[in-house]
Amino acid sequence: MPRDHRPAKSIRVLLAEDQGMMRGALALLLGMEADIEVVAQISAGDEIVDTALVSRPDVALLDIELPGMSGLDAAAALREEVPDCRVLILTTFGRPGYLRRAMEAGAAGFLVKDGPVEELAQAVRRVLTGETVIDPALAAAALSAGPSPLTPRECDVLKASADGATVADIAARVHLSESTVRNYLSSAIGKTGTRNRMEAMREARQQGWL
């Protein structure tokens, strides 16, 4: 719709998505809504806060897996730096753990990418009025799954082992002794019901705990 046909006060949206084709398509589709204006498009998580401080969006539409900083970490940063901006997480990965972490980070909504664009546009409008918008199937799954059993330190050591690092490498990365790292890895393996740290890491990622 031509800009002169827009209402005087459009909803200003910041869009963070690392896949260029998806980002462009979302911007185009949202831009066709008469009351929505995409004021910023970015591909990296560590650009979100600075861009929001300049563009002053009403709603930030964030993917989770972004280079530089995850959308979940960016949501928490926006809550501190741009508190008037509502955050709506839009992701391919509808994992219960991600939903819990998004809500803890202050997100106002959580949707998966396979929904219709009309639903996304309506979610943008709803979160701006103060509503919380969550994919119903994911909400039910999150309730049945329960909270993550992993402690923050157990998550740290699993993340640090992602590239097959040795215990010594992990210890250096997270600033812990090797014996402490082994203890955390053993605990994480037990809690995830897996056989080794690589399986534990995969299971934790699948559940959205990392």
Side-chain angles (χ1 to χ4, degrees), residues 89-128:
I89 298 293
L90 180 66
T91 181
T92 303
F93 306 101
R95 298 168 181 168
Y98 278 165
L99 172 57
R100 286 183 175 274
R101 290 169 60 196
M103 296 299 103
E104 290 169 359
F110 194 109
L111 296 175
V112 291
K113 291 179 181 176
D114 59 1
V117 69
E118 294 82 4
E119 180 179 302
L120 176 59
Q122 190 58 27
V124 168
R125 299 181 184 104
R126 289 172 62 190
V127 298
L128 194 58

PDB file of all heavy atoms in Angstrom, residues 89-128:
ATOM      1  N   ILE A  89       9.032 -12.957  19.447  1.00  0.00           N
ATOM      2  CA  ILE A  89       9.962 -13.949  18.908  1.00  0.00           C
ATOM      3  C   ILE A  89       9.286 -14.718  17.787  1.00  0.00           C
ATOM      4  O   ILE A  89       8.167 -15.216  17.947  1.00  0.00           O
ATOM      5  CB  ILE A  89      10.413 -14.932  20.010  1.00  0.00           C
ATOM      6  CG1 ILE A  89      11.169 -14.205  21.133  1.00  0.00           C
ATOM      7  CG2 ILE A  89      11.277 -16.047  19.419  1.00  0.00           C
ATOM      8  CD1 ILE A  89      12.503 -13.629  20.745  1.00  0.00           C
ATOM      9  N   LEU A  90       9.966 -14.810  16.652  1.00  0.00           N
ATOM     10  CA  LEU A  90       9.465 -15.569  15.504  1.00  0.00           C
ATOM     11  C   LEU A  90      10.572 -16.516  15.067  1.00  0.00           C
ATOM     12  O   LEU A  90      11.635 -16.069  14.634  1.00  0.00           O
ATOM     13  CB  LEU A  90       9.087 -14.625  14.354  1.00  0.00           C
ATOM     14  CG  LEU A  90       8.540 -15.293  13.091  1.00  0.00           C
ATOM     15  CD1 LEU A  90       7.201 -15.956  13.365  1.00  0.00           C
ATOM     16  CD2 LEU A  90       8.414 -14.277  11.969  1.00  0.00           C
ATOM     17  N   THR A  91      10.340 -17.811  15.191  1.00  0.00           N
ATOM     18  CA  THR A  91      11.426 -18.768  14.961  1.00  0.00           C
ATOM     19  C   THR A  91      10.959 -20.024  14.253  1.00  0.00           C
ATOM     20  O   THR A  91       9.769 -20.372  14.284  1.00  0.00           O
ATOM     21  CB  THR A  91      12.073 -19.148  16.308  1.00  0.00           C
ATOM     22  OG1 THR A  91      13.147 -20.068  16.083  1.00  0.00           O
ATOM     23  CG2 THR A  91      11.056 -19.794  17.235  1.00  0.00           C
ATOM     24  N   THR A  92      11.902 -20.680  13.616  1.00  0.00           N
ATOM     25  CA  THR A  92      11.638 -21.998  13.023  1.00  0.00           C
ATOM     26  C   THR A  92      11.555 -23.058  14.106  1.00  0.00           C
ATOM     27  O   THR A  92      10.888 -24.079  13.951  1.00  0.00           O
ATOM     28  CB  THR A  92      12.780 -22.371  12.044  1.00  0.00           C
ATOM     29  OG1 THR A  92      12.896 -21.347  11.062  1.00  0.00           O
ATOM     30  CG2 THR A  92      12.511 -23.707  11.360  1.00  0.00           C
ATOM     31  N   PHE A  93      12.237 -22.806  15.240  1.00  0.00           N
ATOM     32  CA  PHE A  93      12.408 -23.822  16.264  1.00  0.00           C
ATOM     33  C   PHE A  93      11.401 -23.642  17.395  1.00  0.00           C
ATOM     34  O   PHE A  93      11.637 -22.888  18.328  1.00  0.00           O
ATOM     35  CB  PHE A  93      13.840 -23.778  16.804  1.00  0.00           C
ATOM     36  CG  PHE A  93      14.865 -23.892  15.713  1.00  0.00           C
ATOM     37  CD1 PHE A  93      15.530 -22.768  15.241  1.00  0.00           C
ATOM     38  CD2 PHE A  93      15.137 -25.117  15.128  1.00  0.00           C
ATOM     39  CE1 PHE A  93      16.459 -22.868  14.209  1.00  0.00           C
ATOM     40  CE2 PHE A  93      16.067 -25.230  14.100  1.00  0.00           C
ATOM     41  CZ  PHE A  93      16.720 -24.107  13.645  1.00  0.00           C
ATOM     42  N   GLY A  94      10.269 -24.316  17.280  1.00  0.00           N
ATOM     43  CA  GLY A  94       9.242 -24.243  18.312  1.00  0.00           C
ATOM     44  C   GLY A  94       9.538 -25.211  19.441  1.00  0.00           C
ATOM     45  O   GLY A  94       8.917 -26.265  19.545  1.00  0.00           O
ATOM     46  N   ARG A  95      10.482 -24.852  20.281  1.00  0.00           N
ATOM     47  CA  ARG A  95      10.913 -25.725  21.372  1.00  0.00           C
ATOM     48  C   ARG A  95      10.436 -25.171  22.704  1.00  0.00           C
ATOM     49  O   ARG A  95      10.562 -23.973  22.963  1.00  0.00           O
ATOM     50  CB  ARG A  95      12.432 -25.852  21.368  1.00  0.00           C
ATOM     51  CG  ARG A  95      12.953 -26.502  20.081  1.00  0.00           C
ATOM     52  CD  ARG A  95      14.451 -26.374  19.935  1.00  0.00           C
ATOM     53  NE  ARG A  95      14.909 -26.987  18.692  1.00  0.00           N
ATOM     54  CZ  ARG A  95      16.114 -26.838  18.186  1.00  0.00           C
ATOM     55  NH1 ARG A  95      16.996 -26.067  18.811  1.00  0.00           N
ATOM     56  NH2 ARG A  95      16.457 -27.432  17.058  1.00  0.00           N
ATOM     57  N   PRO A  96       9.907 -26.041  23.569  1.00  0.00           N
ATOM     58  CA  PRO A  96       9.396 -25.564  24.863  1.00  0.00           C
ATOM     59  C   PRO A  96      10.420 -24.781  25.671  1.00  0.00           C
ATOM     60  O   PRO A  96      10.095 -23.768  26.285  1.00  0.00           O
ATOM     61  CB  PRO A  96       9.005 -26.866  25.575  1.00  0.00           C
ATOM     62  CG  PRO A  96       8.677 -27.822  24.475  1.00  0.00           C
ATOM     63  CD  PRO A  96       9.645 -27.487  23.377  1.00  0.00           C
ATOM     64  N   GLY A  97      11.671 -25.231  25.656  1.00  0.00           N
ATOM     65  CA  GLY A  97      12.698 -24.528  26.406  1.00  0.00           C
ATOM     66  C   GLY A  97      12.923 -23.121  25.896  1.00  0.00           C
ATOM     67  O   GLY A  97      13.158 -22.191  26.676  1.00  0.00           O
ATOM     68  N   TYR A  98      12.851 -22.943  24.589  1.00  0.00           N
ATOM     69  CA  TYR A  98      12.993 -21.612  24.006  1.00  0.00           C
ATOM     70  C   TYR A  98      11.862 -20.692  24.463  1.00  0.00           C
ATOM     71  O   TYR A  98      12.077 -19.511  24.752  1.00  0.00           O
ATOM     72  CB  TYR A  98      12.991 -21.684  22.479  1.00  0.00           C
ATOM     73  CG  TYR A  98      14.312 -22.044  21.850  1.00  0.00           C
ATOM     74  CD1 TYR A  98      14.381 -22.444  20.520  1.00  0.00           C
ATOM     75  CD2 TYR A  98      15.503 -21.984  22.568  1.00  0.00           C
ATOM     76  CE1 TYR A  98      15.588 -22.758  19.912  1.00  0.00           C
ATOM     77  CE2 TYR A  98      16.714 -22.308  21.984  1.00  0.00           C
ATOM     78  CZ  TYR A  98      16.757 -22.695  20.654  1.00  0.00           C
ATOM     79  OH  TYR A  98      17.959 -23.016  20.059  1.00  0.00           O
ATOM     80  N   LEU A  99      10.649 -21.238  24.509  1.00  0.00           N
ATOM     81  CA  LEU A  99       9.509 -20.434  24.936  1.00  0.00           C
ATOM     82  C   LEU A  99       9.695 -19.953  26.372  1.00  0.00           C
ATOM     83  O   LEU A  99       9.487 -18.774  26.678  1.00  0.00           O
ATOM     84  CB  LEU A  99       8.215 -21.236  24.803  1.00  0.00           C
ATOM     85  CG  LEU A  99       6.958 -20.577  25.389  1.00  0.00           C
ATOM     86  CD1 LEU A  99       6.715 -19.205  24.759  1.00  0.00           C
ATOM     87  CD2 LEU A  99       5.752 -21.477  25.193  1.00  0.00           C
ATOM     88  N   ARG A 100      10.081 -20.850  27.247  1.00  0.00           N
ATOM     89  CA  ARG A 100      10.297 -20.460  28.643  1.00  0.00           C
ATOM     90  C   ARG A 100      11.367 -19.381  28.758  1.00  0.00           C
ATOM     91  O   ARG A 100      11.224 -18.400  29.495  1.00  0.00           O
ATOM     92  CB  ARG A 100      10.686 -21.684  29.479  1.00  0.00           C
ATOM     93  CG  ARG A 100       9.533 -22.619  29.767  1.00  0.00           C
ATOM     94  CD  ARG A 100       9.969 -23.777  30.650  1.00  0.00           C
ATOM     95  NE  ARG A 100       8.828 -24.604  31.023  1.00  0.00           N
ATOM     96  CZ  ARG A 100       8.047 -24.361  32.047  1.00  0.00           C
ATOM     97  NH1 ARG A 100       8.282 -23.322  32.819  1.00  0.00           N
ATOM     98  NH2 ARG A 100       7.020 -25.152  32.320  1.00  0.00           N
ATOM     99  N   ARG A 101      12.457 -19.574  28.038  1.00  0.00           N
ATOM    100  CA  ARG A 101      13.545 -18.590  28.098  1.00  0.00           C
ATOM    101  C   ARG A 101      13.117 -17.254  27.505  1.00  0.00           C
ATOM    102  O   ARG A 101      13.510 -16.190  27.996  1.00  0.00           O
ATOM    103  CB  ARG A 101      14.765 -19.142  27.375  1.00  0.00           C
ATOM    104  CG  ARG A 101      15.439 -20.307  28.112  1.00  0.00           C
ATOM    105  CD  ARG A 101      16.462 -21.003  27.250  1.00  0.00           C
ATOM    106  NE  ARG A 101      17.527 -20.101  26.818  1.00  0.00           N
ATOM    107  CZ  ARG A 101      18.368 -20.377  25.823  1.00  0.00           C
ATOM    108  NH1 ARG A 101      18.239 -21.509  25.139  1.00  0.00           N
ATOM    109  NH2 ARG A 101      19.325 -19.526  25.499  1.00  0.00           N
ATOM    110  N   ALA A 102      12.297 -17.290  26.457  1.00  0.00           N
ATOM    111  CA  ALA A 102      11.816 -16.047  25.857  1.00  0.00           C
ATOM    112  C   ALA A 102      10.943 -15.272  26.850  1.00  0.00           C
ATOM    113  O   ALA A 102      11.069 -14.052  26.977  1.00  0.00           O
ATOM    114  CB  ALA A 102      11.026 -16.342  24.587  1.00  0.00           C
ATOM    115  N   MET A 103      10.070 -15.977  27.547  1.00  0.00           N
ATOM    116  CA  MET A 103       9.204 -15.313  28.514  1.00  0.00           C
ATOM    117  C   MET A 103      10.031 -14.746  29.676  1.00  0.00           C
ATOM    118  O   MET A 103       9.767 -13.647  30.172  1.00  0.00           O
ATOM    119  CB  MET A 103       8.154 -16.282  29.037  1.00  0.00           C
ATOM    120  CG  MET A 103       7.165 -16.784  27.984  1.00  0.00           C
ATOM    121  SD  MET A 103       6.166 -15.473  27.210  1.00  0.00           S
ATOM    122  CE  MET A 103       6.996 -15.288  25.623  1.00  0.00           C
ATOM    123  N   GLU A 104      11.034 -15.497  30.102  1.00  0.00           N
ATOM    124  CA  GLU A 104      11.912 -15.012  31.176  1.00  0.00           C
ATOM    125  C   GLU A 104      12.693 -13.773  30.738  1.00  0.00           C
ATOM    126  O   GLU A 104      13.028 -12.910  31.561  1.00  0.00           O
ATOM    127  CB  GLU A 104      12.887 -16.121  31.599  1.00  0.00           C
ATOM    128  CG  GLU A 104      12.216 -17.268  32.336  1.00  0.00           C
ATOM    129  CD  GLU A 104      13.118 -18.469  32.515  1.00  0.00           C
ATOM    130  OE1 GLU A 104      14.278 -18.421  32.034  1.00  0.00           O
ATOM    131  OE2 GLU A 104      12.681 -19.471  33.119  1.00  0.00           O
ATOM    132  N   ALA A 105      12.982 -13.683  29.435  1.00  0.00           N
ATOM    133  CA  ALA A 105      13.727 -12.538  28.903  1.00  0.00           C
ATOM    134  C   ALA A 105      12.836 -11.321  28.690  1.00  0.00           C
ATOM    135  O   ALA A 105      13.330 -10.254  28.324  1.00  0.00           O
ATOM    136  CB  ALA A 105      14.403 -12.922  27.590  1.00  0.00           C
ATOM    137  N   GLY A 106      11.539 -11.486  28.886  1.00  0.00           N
ATOM    138  CA  GLY A 106      10.626 -10.363  28.751  1.00  0.00           C
ATOM    139  C   GLY A 106       9.900 -10.268  27.428  1.00  0.00           C
ATOM    140  O   GLY A 106       9.261  -9.250  27.141  1.00  0.00           O
ATOM    141  N   ALA A 107       9.971 -11.319  26.594  1.00  0.00           N
ATOM    142  CA  ALA A 107       9.258 -11.291  25.313  1.00  0.00           C
ATOM    143  C   ALA A 107       7.749 -11.269  25.552  1.00  0.00           C
ATOM    144  O   ALA A 107       7.236 -11.861  26.498  1.00  0.00           O
ATOM    145  CB  ALA A 107       9.634 -12.506  24.465  1.00  0.00           C
ATOM    146  N   ALA A 108       7.041 -10.588  24.674  1.00  0.00           N
ATOM    147  CA  ALA A 108       5.589 -10.485  24.774  1.00  0.00           C
ATOM    148  C   ALA A 108       4.880 -11.519  23.909  1.00  0.00           C
ATOM    149  O   ALA A 108       3.665 -11.686  24.014  1.00  0.00           O
ATOM    150  CB  ALA A 108       5.132  -9.088  24.364  1.00  0.00           C
ATOM    151  N   GLY A 109       5.634 -12.204  23.055  1.00  0.00           N
ATOM    152  CA  GLY A 109       5.011 -13.186  22.189  1.00  0.00           C
ATOM    153  C   GLY A 109       6.026 -14.151  21.616  1.00  0.00           C
ATOM    154  O   GLY A 109       7.233 -13.873  21.591  1.00  0.00           O
ATOM    155  N   PHE A 110       5.528 -15.301  21.151  1.00  0.00           N
ATOM    156  CA  PHE A 110       6.387 -16.345  20.604  1.00  0.00           C
ATOM    157  C   PHE A 110       5.581 -17.095  19.553  1.00  0.00           C
ATOM    158  O   PHE A 110       4.571 -17.742  19.869  1.00  0.00           O
ATOM    159  CB  PHE A 110       6.825 -17.299  21.711  1.00  0.00           C
ATOM    160  CG  PHE A 110       7.963 -18.213  21.343  1.00  0.00           C
ATOM    161  CD1 PHE A 110       9.226 -18.043  21.892  1.00  0.00           C
ATOM    162  CD2 PHE A 110       7.775 -19.269  20.456  1.00  0.00           C
ATOM    163  CE1 PHE A 110      10.277 -18.895  21.569  1.00  0.00           C
ATOM    164  CE2 PHE A 110       8.813 -20.121  20.115  1.00  0.00           C
ATOM    165  CZ  PHE A 110      10.068 -19.936  20.676  1.00  0.00           C
ATOM    166  N   LEU A 111       6.010 -17.000  18.294  1.00  0.00           N
ATOM    167  CA  LEU A 111       5.329 -17.676  17.194  1.00  0.00           C
ATOM    168  C   LEU A 111       6.338 -18.442  16.351  1.00  0.00           C
ATOM    169  O   LEU A 111       7.517 -18.094  16.316  1.00  0.00           O
ATOM    170  CB  LEU A 111       4.614 -16.661  16.298  1.00  0.00           C
ATOM    171  CG  LEU A 111       3.476 -15.849  16.924  1.00  0.00           C
ATOM    172  CD1 LEU A 111       2.988 -14.808  15.916  1.00  0.00           C
ATOM    173  CD2 LEU A 111       2.337 -16.752  17.366  1.00  0.00           C
ATOM    174  N   VAL A 112       5.873 -19.475  15.669  1.00  0.00           N
ATOM    175  CA  VAL A 112       6.734 -20.210  14.744  1.00  0.00           C
ATOM    176  C   VAL A 112       6.464 -19.717  13.323  1.00  0.00           C
ATOM    177  O   VAL A 112       5.395 -19.182  13.017  1.00  0.00           O
ATOM    178  CB  VAL A 112       6.503 -21.736  14.849  1.00  0.00           C
ATOM    179  CG1 VAL A 112       7.003 -22.246  16.190  1.00  0.00           C
ATOM    180  CG2 VAL A 112       5.040 -22.092  14.670  1.00  0.00           C
ATOM    181  N   LYS A 113       7.448 -19.901  12.451  1.00  0.00           N
ATOM    182  CA  LYS A 113       7.416 -19.280  11.129  1.00  0.00           C
ATOM    183  C   LYS A 113       6.445 -19.915  10.141  1.00  0.00           C
ATOM    184  O   LYS A 113       6.239 -19.356   9.065  1.00  0.00           O
ATOM    185  CB  LYS A 113       8.826 -19.282  10.525  1.00  0.00           C
ATOM    186  CG  LYS A 113       9.793 -18.350  11.217  1.00  0.00           C
ATOM    187  CD  LYS A 113      11.167 -18.423  10.591  1.00  0.00           C
ATOM    188  CE  LYS A 113      12.162 -17.513  11.286  1.00  0.00           C
ATOM    189  NZ  LYS A 113      13.530 -17.640  10.745  1.00  0.00           N
ATOM    190  N   ASP A 114       5.868 -21.056  10.474  1.00  0.00           N
ATOM    191  CA  ASP A 114       5.001 -21.696   9.487  1.00  0.00           C
ATOM    192  C   ASP A 114       3.561 -21.198   9.542  1.00  0.00           C
ATOM    193  O   ASP A 114       2.690 -21.700   8.847  1.00  0.00           O
ATOM    194  CB  ASP A 114       5.038 -23.224   9.640  1.00  0.00           C
ATOM    195  CG  ASP A 114       4.594 -23.692  11.024  1.00  0.00           C
ATOM    196  OD1 ASP A 114       4.249 -22.825  11.861  1.00  0.00           O
ATOM    197  OD2 ASP A 114       4.590 -24.907  11.260  1.00  0.00           O
ATOM    198  N   GLY A 115       3.297 -20.168  10.349  1.00  0.00           N
ATOM    199  CA  GLY A 115       1.949 -19.619  10.424  1.00  0.00           C
ATOM    200  C   GLY A 115       1.696 -18.607   9.305  1.00  0.00           C
ATOM    201  O   GLY A 115       2.622 -18.129   8.653  1.00  0.00           O
ATOM    202  N   PRO A 116       0.426 -18.253   9.069  1.00  0.00           N
ATOM    203  CA  PRO A 116       0.094 -17.273   8.025  1.00  0.00           C
ATOM    204  C   PRO A 116       0.522 -15.868   8.415  1.00  0.00           C
ATOM    205  O   PRO A 116       0.575 -15.519   9.595  1.00  0.00           O
ATOM    206  CB  PRO A 116      -1.437 -17.376   7.924  1.00  0.00           C
ATOM    207  CG  PRO A 116      -1.865 -17.885   9.261  1.00  0.00           C
ATOM    208  CD  PRO A 116      -0.772 -18.783   9.734  1.00  0.00           C
ATOM    209  N   VAL A 117       0.825 -15.045   7.416  1.00  0.00           N
ATOM    210  CA  VAL A 117       1.290 -13.691   7.695  1.00  0.00           C
ATOM    211  C   VAL A 117       0.206 -12.861   8.378  1.00  0.00           C
ATOM    212  O   VAL A 117       0.495 -11.962   9.165  1.00  0.00           O
ATOM    213  CB  VAL A 117       1.775 -13.000   6.400  1.00  0.00           C
ATOM    214  CG1 VAL A 117       0.606 -12.709   5.458  1.00  0.00           C
ATOM    215  CG2 VAL A 117       2.535 -11.718   6.723  1.00  0.00           C
ATOM    216  N   GLU A 118      -1.064 -13.183   8.108  1.00  0.00           N
ATOM    217  CA  GLU A 118      -2.144 -12.446   8.773  1.00  0.00           C
ATOM    218  C   GLU A 118      -2.075 -12.645  10.278  1.00  0.00           C
ATOM    219  O   GLU A 118      -2.341 -11.720  11.053  1.00  0.00           O
ATOM    220  CB  GLU A 118      -3.508 -12.901   8.243  1.00  0.00           C
ATOM    221  CG  GLU A 118      -3.773 -12.570   6.783  1.00  0.00           C
ATOM    222  CD  GLU A 118      -3.149 -13.583   5.835  1.00  0.00           C
ATOM    223  OE1 GLU A 118      -2.567 -14.582   6.321  1.00  0.00           O
ATOM    224  OE2 GLU A 118      -3.234 -13.360   4.607  1.00  0.00           O
ATOM    225  N   GLU A 119      -1.720 -13.852  10.686  1.00  0.00           N
ATOM    226  CA  GLU A 119      -1.587 -14.149  12.112  1.00  0.00           C
ATOM    227  C   GLU A 119      -0.417 -13.373  12.715  1.00  0.00           C
ATOM    228  O   GLU A 119      -0.506 -12.867  13.843  1.00  0.00           O
ATOM    229  CB  GLU A 119      -1.369 -15.648  12.301  1.00  0.00           C
ATOM    230  CG  GLU A 119      -1.222 -16.096  13.743  1.00  0.00           C
ATOM    231  CD  GLU A 119      -1.026 -17.597  13.845  1.00  0.00           C
ATOM    232  OE1 GLU A 119      -1.904 -18.338  13.357  1.00  0.00           O
ATOM    233  OE2 GLU A 119       0.009 -18.028  14.388  1.00  0.00           O
ATOM    234  N   LEU A 120       0.663 -13.250  11.963  1.00  0.00           N
ATOM    235  CA  LEU A 120       1.819 -12.503  12.443  1.00  0.00           C
ATOM    236  C   LEU A 120       1.477 -11.020  12.590  1.00  0.00           C
ATOM    237  O   LEU A 120       1.806 -10.394  13.599  1.00  0.00           O
ATOM    238  CB  LEU A 120       2.989 -12.683  11.479  1.00  0.00           C
ATOM    239  CG  LEU A 120       4.249 -11.876  11.783  1.00  0.00           C
ATOM    240  CD1 LEU A 120       4.795 -12.208  13.160  1.00  0.00           C
ATOM    241  CD2 LEU A 120       5.308 -12.128  10.708  1.00  0.00           C
ATOM    242  N   ALA A 121       0.816 -10.454  11.596  1.00  0.00           N
ATOM    243  CA  ALA A 121       0.437  -9.044  11.663  1.00  0.00           C
ATOM    244  C   ALA A 121      -0.489  -8.786  12.845  1.00  0.00           C
ATOM    245  O   ALA A 121      -0.347  -7.783  13.554  1.00  0.00           O
ATOM    246  CB  ALA A 121      -0.231  -8.618  10.355  1.00  0.00           C
ATOM    247  N   GLN A 122      -1.414  -9.696  13.063  1.00  0.00           N
ATOM    248  CA  GLN A 122      -2.321  -9.527  14.188  1.00  0.00           C
ATOM    249  C   GLN A 122      -1.577  -9.655  15.514  1.00  0.00           C
ATOM    250  O   GLN A 122      -1.883  -8.938  16.479  1.00  0.00           O
ATOM    251  CB  GLN A 122      -3.454 -10.566  14.110  1.00  0.00           C
ATOM    252  CG  GLN A 122      -4.589 -10.349  15.083  1.00  0.00           C
ATOM    253  CD  GLN A 122      -5.267  -8.990  14.933  1.00  0.00           C
ATOM    254  OE1 GLN A 122      -5.266  -8.404  13.861  1.00  0.00           O
ATOM    255  NE2 GLN A 122      -5.821  -8.481  16.010  1.00  0.00           N
ATOM    256  N   ALA A 123      -0.584 -10.530  15.567  1.00  0.00           N
ATOM    257  CA  ALA A 123       0.224 -10.679  16.788  1.00  0.00           C
ATOM    258  C   ALA A 123       0.984  -9.392  17.080  1.00  0.00           C
ATOM    259  O   ALA A 123       1.104  -8.981  18.242  1.00  0.00           O
ATOM    260  CB  ALA A 123       1.191 -11.847  16.643  1.00  0.00           C
ATOM    261  N   VAL A 124       1.498  -8.747  16.043  1.00  0.00           N
ATOM    262  CA  VAL A 124       2.196  -7.466  16.220  1.00  0.00           C
ATOM    263  C   VAL A 124       1.252  -6.448  16.851  1.00  0.00           C
ATOM    264  O   VAL A 124       1.611  -5.723  17.788  1.00  0.00           O
ATOM    265  CB  VAL A 124       2.732  -6.950  14.862  1.00  0.00           C
ATOM    266  CG1 VAL A 124       3.189  -5.494  14.983  1.00  0.00           C
ATOM    267  CG2 VAL A 124       3.888  -7.827  14.383  1.00  0.00           C
ATOM    268  N   ARG A 125       0.026  -6.414  16.357  1.00  0.00           N
ATOM    269  CA  ARG A 125      -0.952  -5.466  16.906  1.00  0.00           C
ATOM    270  C   ARG A 125      -1.303  -5.812  18.350  1.00  0.00           C
ATOM    271  O   ARG A 125      -1.431  -4.929  19.207  1.00  0.00           O
ATOM    272  CB  ARG A 125      -2.212  -5.472  16.046  1.00  0.00           C
ATOM    273  CG  ARG A 125      -1.989  -5.053  14.597  1.00  0.00           C
ATOM    274  CD  ARG A 125      -3.290  -5.050  13.801  1.00  0.00           C
ATOM    275  NE  ARG A 125      -3.030  -4.746  12.396  1.00  0.00           N
ATOM    276  CZ  ARG A 125      -3.042  -5.656  11.429  1.00  0.00           C
ATOM    277  NH1 ARG A 125      -3.313  -6.929  11.700  1.00  0.00           N
ATOM    278  NH2 ARG A 125      -2.782  -5.300  10.177  1.00  0.00           N
ATOM    279  N   ARG A 126      -1.439  -7.091  18.619  1.00  0.00           N
ATOM    280  CA  ARG A 126      -1.878  -7.519  19.955  1.00  0.00           C
ATOM    281  C   ARG A 126      -0.822  -7.258  21.024  1.00  0.00           C
ATOM    282  O   ARG A 126      -1.152  -6.819  22.123  1.00  0.00           O
ATOM    283  CB  ARG A 126      -2.276  -8.992  19.920  1.00  0.00           C
ATOM    284  CG  ARG A 126      -3.569  -9.277  19.170  1.00  0.00           C
ATOM    285  CD  ARG A 126      -3.806 -10.764  18.999  1.00  0.00           C
ATOM    286  NE  ARG A 126      -3.942 -11.432  20.289  1.00  0.00           N
ATOM    287  CZ  ARG A 126      -3.958 -12.757  20.431  1.00  0.00           C
ATOM    288  NH1 ARG A 126      -3.800 -13.537  19.371  1.00  0.00           N
ATOM    289  NH2 ARG A 126      -4.108 -13.288  21.623  1.00  0.00           N
ATOM    290  N   VAL A 127       0.433  -7.546  20.717  1.00  0.00           N
ATOM    291  CA  VAL A 127       1.467  -7.324  21.738  1.00  0.00           C
ATOM    292  C   VAL A 127       1.610  -5.834  22.047  1.00  0.00           C
ATOM    293  O   VAL A 127       1.950  -5.447  23.162  1.00  0.00           O
ATOM    294  CB  VAL A 127       2.835  -7.932  21.348  1.00  0.00           C
ATOM    295  CG1 VAL A 127       2.730  -9.435  21.202  1.00  0.00           C
ATOM    296  CG2 VAL A 127       3.414  -7.286  20.102  1.00  0.00           C
ATOM    297  N   LEU A 128       1.307  -5.002  21.061  1.00  0.00           N
ATOM    298  CA  LEU A 128       1.414  -3.565  21.278  1.00  0.00           C
ATOM    299  C   LEU A 128       0.336  -3.063  22.240  1.00  0.00           C
ATOM    300  O   LEU A 128       0.519  -2.050  22.912  1.00  0.00           O
ATOM    301  CB  LEU A 128       1.327  -2.819  19.947  1.00  0.00           C
ATOM    302  CG  LEU A 128       1.750  -1.350  19.972  1.00  0.00           C
ATOM    303  CD1 LEU A 128       3.178  -1.198  20.470  1.00  0.00           C
ATOM    304  CD2 LEU A 128       1.605  -0.734  18.585  1.00  0.00           C
TER     305      LEU A 128
END
